[in-house]
Amino acid sequence: MEDLNRLKVVLVEMKRTSRWLAAELGKNPSTVSKWCTNVSQPDLQTLNRIAELLDVDIKELINSNR
């Protein structure tokens, strides 16, 4: 499966963990882990919230190398 997001990279750059993100979003850590490994993708509303939490533009979370 093609990598569609850069969530894992951005989390590392921001010195945050997937567990932290899961807690902030009220999601199961395994769900966030699936997003980080591109097994599944967050919906657009959740992606927007992630961008807000990490204080980045939503474009930073989406891989432009398609």
Side-chain angles (χ1 to χ4, degrees), residues 24-41:
E24 291 293 313
L25 294 171
K27 301 282 186 186
N28 189 307
S30 67
T31 299
V32 176
S33 177
K34 288 178 184 178
W35 297 341
C36 288
T37 57
N38 288 294
V39 170
S40 67
Q41 301 298 319

Side-chain angles (χ1 to χ4, degrees), residues 1-28:
M1 177 179 224
E2 184 177 348
D3 289 351
L4 299 177
N5 72 56
R6 299 182 60 247
L7 182 55
K8 185 174 184 177
V9 173
V10 174
L11 281 170
V12 169
E13 289 172 352
M14 303 306 276
K15 297 182 170 83
R16 298 291 186 178
T17 65
S18 58
R19 282 187 181 265
W20 170 84
L21 184 59
E24 291 293 313
L25 294 171
K27 301 282 186 186
N28 189 307

Side-chain angles (χ1 to χ4, degrees), residues 39-53:
V39 170
S40 67
Q41 301 298 319
D43 60 34
L44 190 54
Q45 182 178 5
T46 304
L47 199 57
N48 243 350
R49 180 71 180 126
I50 293 168
E52 289 173 5
L53 288 168

